[in-house]
């Protein structure tokens, strides 16, 4: 209602008149010129017209109609109504969690004045009154929050505070359970009682979409296990409770501080990945500032002294890829083609280049294998250097109290780095010469084909990386402007030790590496005699690498075409 | 198959290592080679990048072209096809690298393998190449031979000079210089301005 009782009452004249019982008339007359008075359901009792509410449909229509006719003459707005209305507002404010805006209000509660009877056309007109909308109620709380995979809330990268921090406090489910029940039984107000399990089904939805009812939170309580160590699955259903528990009692509850802190700390993924052992481990460990460990450029290497923490942070931060589905499709396609390729028989060509003698062939093979080894070594060392110089310091810096690095930048830059390093190590293992002391031309020729084919599941990381690079190119460039990163970069570029390679070189190196594998293996194949045992496998390896390169190419092009058409 | 085999890697190798290996392309695996050059009394570290097979895969080069300070287009004078795709490479580089000033971005065109005997040689005449370079805005053109080390030194000197000039136009003394890349079709060169 737009009556603005405060302003009206503040007038001394009005106050005086009201004192002497004149306010009624004054009030109604002032209002009559400006405003149409439409009785709402709340004030129905107080309005004289609605004193004996019509109960039959036709009576209602007439009632409304008569009201319409009356509205210009003397709308009944006694002060008592205002007071009542005001009181109603106050009452609403005091309720901590009102059923403020029911999604589907029951039809009988709809104010009757929404309907008007049009005599000229003999029809009913539905004209919702403005007052029926609870615009003047206190700010609404959301009924539910839907967290979908891919949204920042889901991946936990939106805010630093919730995303990176390891949950350190042990959450006692049994105690919480008891507390909620006690509160429930003691609550005199029906609104504070636990509502029915109307939203239960929403909670049981598959995990891809979680619906967290905020104001009806404890409704899922019956499902909560009473044991202090909830299983991983039940902890997921418990999350809404924990969340809304803190929210529900925030206004008055003495636990406000504690529970809100928990609320902040427990993000969605936290709870999900929070096994009892994990919480037990992290609960007892005291806080430690990583800042202290980061005094100089070289020191962050000490970071992994807490492997549990680092592993947790890495696991949690490093996979926010929203393109996971596209990525999965690409990998699937690639694996399928690899599978088909491996099914086929290798066609062995009958002709061999005869320009070089077999002895030369052997030397060249050794040379190429050595080439693969050395370049792989330098590639791996570059990745390791990036991990040590860039990723670890930045990860640590993003976890500091006042982070110099936005936690969201790290996955964008380094998501696939650990995996790339793993792959590189495996490759290196297969080409490492047996004895390091002997020069390459004296080494025995090692077979590369089989080990290469054995890595077939690992190559998909390159596809992932290519897709990631293509889709996030803008974010990558933005992240590269981080001051902390630039500082490291400058230092690296000016050091000979790092071969003057910077972050931009790192970013393209995996993409460059794959066509190089192609060339090297192709060369190796050319100099491998057809009779060699390794020949068929090497053929397939070459095929696989060129397929990998074209797969990377295709995923990138596919994505680019899509973006351009959109 | 497009323009591989025109001798990019050999050129690079010849310039940096003063070696030519006909039997095997050494340093396929090397991402790039560095060489320090004196240009106008300034010591410049040139980073020459080799596309090494990436030219086959169009989109894999994207990452690579960015940040280049000069682009070297190499074709094989004995291979008409490689010459014809020069224009395509030129445009593609500009699209993918999206340099700040596409019109004045330094290119250098090298016609490689001029050492091959006269009889088979010169499918692509010098005239045509010059005409192409004129049309694209006075691109310097060199006929080189990685095998015989003909013109290689001069070509790369010009590359360094042009790249440096470009850099001067933009910001010579900035702390963070992007690497210059020479693509082999596009080779890249790169220098780091001394951070003083």
């Amino acid at each position: 209602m737009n009556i603005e009782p405060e302003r009206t009452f503040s007038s001394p004249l009005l106050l005086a008149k009201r004192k002497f019982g004149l306010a009624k008339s004054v009030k109604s007359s002032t209002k009559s010129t400006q405003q149409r008075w439409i009785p709402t359901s709340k004030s129905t009792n107080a309005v004289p017209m609605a004193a004996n509410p019509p109960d039959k449909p036709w009576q209602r229509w007439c009632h409304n109609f008569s009201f319409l006719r009356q509205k210009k003459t003397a709308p009944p707005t006694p002060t008592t109504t205002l007071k009542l209305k005001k009181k109603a507002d106050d009452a609403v404010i005091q309720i901590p969690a009102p059923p403020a805006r029911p999604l589907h209000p029951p039809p009988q509660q709809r104010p009757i004045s929404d309907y008007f009877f049009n005599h000229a056309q003999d029809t009913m007109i539905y004209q919702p009154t403005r007052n029926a909308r609870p615009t003047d109620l206190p700010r609404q709380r959301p009924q539910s929050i839907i967290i979908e995979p891919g949204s920042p809330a889901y991946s936990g990268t939106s805010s630093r505070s919730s995303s990176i921090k390891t949950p350190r406090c042990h959450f006692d489910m049994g105690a919480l359970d008891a507390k909620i029940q006690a509160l429930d039984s003691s609550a005199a107000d029906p609104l504070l009682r636990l509502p029915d399990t109307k939203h239960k089904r929403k909670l049981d939805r598959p995990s891809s979409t979680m619906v967290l009812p905020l104001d009806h939170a404890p409704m899922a309580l019956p499902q909560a296990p009473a044991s202090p160590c909830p299983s991983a699955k039940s902890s997921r259903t418990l999350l809404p409770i924990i969340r809304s528990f803190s929210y529900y009692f925030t206004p008055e509850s003495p636990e406000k501080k504690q529970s809100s802190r928990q609320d902040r700390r427990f993000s969605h993924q936290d709870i999900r990945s929070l096994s009892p052992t994990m919480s037990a481990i992290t609960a007892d460990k005291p806080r430690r500032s990583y800042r202290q460990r980061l005094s100089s450029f070289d020191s962050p290497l000490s970071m992994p002294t807490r492997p549990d923490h680092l592993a947790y942070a890495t696991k949690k931060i490093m996979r926010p890829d929203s393109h996971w589905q596209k990525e999965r499709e690409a990998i699937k396609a690639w694996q399928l083609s690899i599978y088909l390729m491996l099914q086929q028989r290798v066609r062995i060509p009958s002709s061999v280049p005869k320009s070089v003698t077999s002895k030369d062939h052997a030397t060249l093979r050794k040379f190429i294998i050595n080439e693969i080894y050395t370049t792989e070594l330098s590639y791996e060392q570059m990745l390791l250097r990036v991990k040590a110089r860039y990723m670890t310091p930045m990860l640590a810096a993003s976890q500091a109290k006042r982070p110099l690095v936005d936690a969201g930048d790290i996955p964008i830059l380094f998501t696939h780095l650990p995996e790339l390093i793993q792959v590189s190590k495996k490759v290196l293992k297969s080409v490492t010469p047996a004895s390091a002391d002997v020069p390459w031309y004296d080494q025995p020729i090692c077979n590369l084909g089989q080990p290469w084919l054995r890595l077939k599941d690992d190559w998909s990381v390159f596809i992932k990386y290519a897709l990631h690079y293509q889709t996030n190119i803008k974010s990558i460039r933005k992240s590269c402007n981080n001051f902390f990163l630039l500082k490291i970069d400058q230092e690296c570029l000016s050091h000979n030790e790092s071969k003057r390679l910077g972050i931009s070189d790192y970013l393209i190196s995996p993409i460059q590496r794959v066509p190089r594998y192609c060339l090297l293996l192709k060369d190796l194949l050319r100099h491998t005699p057809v009779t060699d045992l390794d020949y068929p496998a090497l053929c397939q390896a070459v095929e696989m690498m060129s397929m990998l390169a074209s797969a990377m190419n295709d995923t990138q092009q596919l994505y680019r075409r899509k973006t351009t058409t959109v | 198959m497009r323009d591989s085999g025109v001798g990019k890697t050999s050129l690079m190798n010849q310039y940096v290592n003063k070696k030519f290996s006909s039997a095997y392309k050494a340093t396929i695996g090397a991402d790039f080679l560095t060489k320090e050059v004196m240009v106008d009394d300034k010591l410049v570290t040139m980073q020459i990048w080799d596309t090494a097979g990436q030219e086959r895969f169009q989109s894999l080069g994207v990452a690579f072209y960015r940040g280049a300070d000069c682009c070297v287009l190499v074709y094989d004078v004995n291979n008409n096809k490689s010459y014809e795709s020069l224009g395509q490479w030129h445009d593609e580089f500009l699209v993918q690298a999206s340099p700040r000033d596409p019109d004045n971005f330094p290119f250098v065109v090298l016609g490689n393998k001029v050492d091959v005997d006269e009889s088979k040689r010169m499918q692509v005449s010098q005239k045509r190449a010059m005409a192409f370079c004129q049309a694209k805005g006075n691109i310097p053109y060199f006929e080189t031979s990685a095998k015989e080390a003909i013109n290689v030194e001069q070509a790369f000197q010009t590359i360094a000079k042009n790249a440096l000039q470009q850099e001067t136009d933009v910001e010579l003394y900035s702390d963070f210089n992007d690497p210059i890349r020479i693509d082999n079709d596009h080779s890249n060169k790169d220098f780091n301005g001394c951070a003083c």
Side-chain angles (χ1 to χ4, degrees), chain A residues 134-149:
Chain A
T135 48
D136 44 356
L137 291 180
R139 253 185 95 198
Q140 303 299 309
R141 265 176 207 149
Q143 286 285 306
S144 60
I145 291 174
I146 298 180
I147 298 177
E148 298 199 25

Side-chain angles (χ1 to χ4, degrees), chain A residues 301-533:
Chain A
L301 287 175
S302 61
M303 169 90 178
T305 46
R306 287 188 62 194
D308 62 319
H309 201 124
L310 184 69
Y312 181 83
T314 312
K315 187 178 150 204
K316 205 168 155 317
I317 301 176
M318 294 311 242
R319 290 294 307 164
D321 202 344
S322 60
H323 302 287
W324 58 276
Q325 196 171 354
K326 218 174 291 166
E327 186 182 294
R328 216 174 43 182
E329 281 168 15
I331 291 170
K332 226 176 176 179
W334 186 67
Q335 280 172 344
L336 183 68
S337 56
I338 287 294
Y339 175 76
L340 290 176
M341 189 266 290
L342 292 178
Q343 296 298 311
Q344 289 172 355
R345 282 188 59 197
V346 180
R347 251 185 287 159
I348 296 175
S350 52
S351 66
V352 197
K354 282 169 190 166
S355 59
V356 197
T357 63
S358 64
K359 197 187 160 196
D360 286 344
H361 271 311
T363 315
L364 278 171
R365 280 174 75 191
K366 285 176 191 167
F367 179 82
I368 294 164
I369 288 170
N370 183 56
E371 185 85 20
I372 294 175
Y373 169 67
T374 47
T375 52
E376 188 65 37
L377 197 65
S378 72
Y379 168 69
E380 188 219 13
Q381 274 176 354
M382 174 180 186
L383 291 185
L384 285 175
R385 208 165 38 228
V386 167
K387 191 182 177 190
R389 293 248 149 169
Y390 291 84
M391 189 182 112
T392 319
M394 284 178 76
L395 202 59
S398 70
Q399 287 186 317
K401 209 170 180 184
R402 280 188 210 145
L404 288 168
V405 181
D406 186 359
D409 285 354
I410 292 172
I412 283 181
L413 291 174
F414 304 116
T415 315
H416 304 290
L417 182 59
E419 218 174 326
L420 286 170
I421 291 175
Q422 288 304 317
V423 175
S424 180
K425 277 197 171 134
K426 284 182 190 169
V427 173
L428 209 53
K429 211 173 152 195
S430 64
V431 285
T432 306
S435 48
D437 306 330
V438 190
W440 61 265
Y441 41 83
D442 286 340
Q443 300 270 359
I445 295 171
C446 62
N447 290 337
L448 268 185
Q450 282 301 338
W452 217 268
L453 287 181
R454 236 173 279 140
L455 292 173
K456 66 180 184 321
D457 294 330
D458 298 311
W459 297 121
S460 54
V461 68
F462 285 99
I463 294 180
K464 282 190 232 165
Y465 184 84
L467 188 65
H468 172 83
Y469 188 86
Q470 180 63 37
T471 50
N472 295 319
I473 183 81
K474 273 183 193 161
S475 322
I476 288 173
R477 238 178 288 157
K478 215 172 83 190
S479 308
C480 283
N481 285 332
N482 180 288
F483 179 78
F484 192 66
L485 178 62
L486 287 177
K487 182 100 179 66
I488 302 174
D489 209 26
Q490 192 181 10
E491 224 158 312
C492 276
L493 283 173
S494 58
H495 274 90
N496 256 340
E497 174 223 348
S498 56
K499 294 190 185 166
R500 297 181 191 274
L501 290 175
I503 186 80
S504 52
D505 302 309
Y506 146 68
L507 285 170
I508 60 170
S509 64
I511 294 177
Q512 282 185 297
R513 189 72 191 141
V514 172
R516 230 142 270 194
Y517 285 138
C518 287
L519 287 187
L520 287 163
L521 286 182
K522 230 174 255 180
D523 255 350
L524 186 61
L525 183 69
R526 202 185 305 150
H527 298 292
T528 306
V530 183
T531 51
D532 197 284
L533 280 179

Side-chain angles (χ1 to χ4, degrees), chain A residues 156-423:
Chain A
T157 52
S158 60
S159 68
R160 307 177 195 111
S161 57
S162 67
S163 60
I164 312 159
K165 295 252 170 76
T166 315
R168 289 191 188 84
C169 44
H170 183 69
F171 204 80
D172 190 353
M173 282 299 157
L176 171 68
D177 203 359
K179 214 177 276 176
I180 293 179
Q181 270 178 356
L183 275 163
D184 177 37
S185 54
S186 67
D189 193 329
L191 278 172
L192 282 175
R193 291 240 172 158
L194 301 181
D196 301 330
T197 53
K198 207 197 293 170
H199 293 272
K200 189 183 147 210
R201 207 183 293 152
K202 284 186 184 173
L203 275 178
D204 291 339
R205 275 188 195 178
S207 61
S208 60
T209 309
M210 282 275 295
V211 177
L212 317 174
L214 283 189
D215 51 348
H216 296 291
M219 79 187 59
L221 193 67
Q223 293 179 326
S227 70
C229 282
S231 69
K233 196 184 166 196
S234 66
S235 66
R236 199 181 66 205
T237 51
L238 274 175
L239 166 67
I241 303 170
I242 296 165
R243 267 224 173 138
S244 44
F245 179 69
S246 62
Y247 198 71
Y248 194 75
F249 294 101
T250 304
E252 292 98 6
S253 163
E255 295 101 343
K256 175 187 169 182
K257 216 174 180 181
Q258 189 195 349
S259 53
S260 70
R261 194 182 297 155
Q262 283 160 1
D263 189 20
R264 206 182 326 124
R265 199 161 286 164
F266 280 19
S267 78
H268 173 63
Q269 280 199 335
D270 282 341
I271 293 289
R272 233 176 17 163
S273 60
L274 186 65
S275 65
T277 48
M278 180 88 190
S279 59
I281 290 168
T282 51
D284 305 326
K285 299 223 168 178
R287 274 187 165 199
R288 238 186 279 172
S289 161
Y290 292 102
R291 261 284 177 70
Q292 295 162 356
R293 297 168 170 275
L294 273 177
S295 50
S296 76
F297 173 64
D298 290 314
S299 60
L301 287 175
S302 61
M303 169 90 178
T305 46
R306 287 188 62 194
D308 62 319
H309 201 124
L310 184 69
Y312 181 83
T314 312
K315 187 178 150 204
K316 205 168 155 317
I317 301 176
M318 294 311 242
R319 290 294 307 164
D321 202 344
S322 60
H323 302 287
W324 58 276
Q325 196 171 354
K326 218 174 291 166
E327 186 182 294
R328 216 174 43 182
E329 281 168 15
I331 291 170
K332 226 176 176 179
W334 186 67
Q335 280 172 344
L336 183 68
S337 56
I338 287 294
Y339 175 76
L340 290 176
M341 189 266 290
L342 292 178
Q343 296 298 311
Q344 289 172 355
R345 282 188 59 197
V346 180
R347 251 185 287 159
I348 296 175
S350 52
S351 66
V352 197
K354 282 169 190 166
S355 59
V356 197
T357 63
S358 64
K359 197 187 160 196
D360 286 344
H361 271 311
T363 315
L364 278 171
R365 280 174 75 191
K366 285 176 191 167
F367 179 82
I368 294 164
I369 288 170
N370 183 56
E371 185 85 20
I372 294 175
Y373 169 67
T374 47
T375 52
E376 188 65 37
L377 197 65
S378 72
Y379 168 69
E380 188 219 13
Q381 274 176 354
M382 174 180 186
L383 291 185
L384 285 175
R385 208 165 38 228
V386 167
K387 191 182 177 190
R389 293 248 149 169
Y390 291 84
M391 189 182 112
T392 319
M394 284 178 76
L395 202 59
S398 70
Q399 287 186 317
K401 209 170 180 184
R402 280 188 210 145
L404 288 168
V405 181
D406 186 359
D409 285 354
I410 292 172
I412 283 181
L413 291 174
F414 304 116
T415 315
H416 304 290
L417 182 59
E419 218 174 326
L420 286 170
I421 291 175
Q422 288 304 317
V423 175

Side-chain angles (χ1 to χ4, degrees), chain A residues 367-368 371 375 469 473 486 490 500-501 505 508 511-512 515-516 519-520 523 549-550 553 556-557 560, chain B residues 24 27-32 47 49-52 54 57-60 62-64 66 175-176 181 192:
Chain A
F367 179 82
I368 294 164
E371 185 85 20
T375 52
Y469 188 86
I473 183 81
L486 287 177
Q490 192 181 10
R500 297 181 191 274
L501 290 175
D505 302 309
I508 60 170
I511 294 177
Q512 282 185 297
R516 230 142 270 194
L519 287 187
L520 287 163
D523 255 350
S550 25
N553 192 36
Q556 290 195 335
Q557 271 179 350
R560 211 183 307 158
Chain B
Y24 181 70
T27 69
I28 274 183
D31 285 335
F32 65 92
Q47 236 178 50
W49 287 72
D50 192 342
T51 51
Q54 282 174 50
F57 305 103
Q58 211 173 357
S59 51
L60 297 191
V62 183
F64 187 72
R66 288 208 174 98
D175 273 350
F176 308 112
R181 316 205 145 145
N192 302 310

Side-chain angles (χ1 to χ4, degrees), chain A residues 39 43-54 63 112:
Chain A
S43 53
T44 316
N45 301 339
V47 179
M49 276 194 35
N52 36 1
H63 170 80
I112 52 171

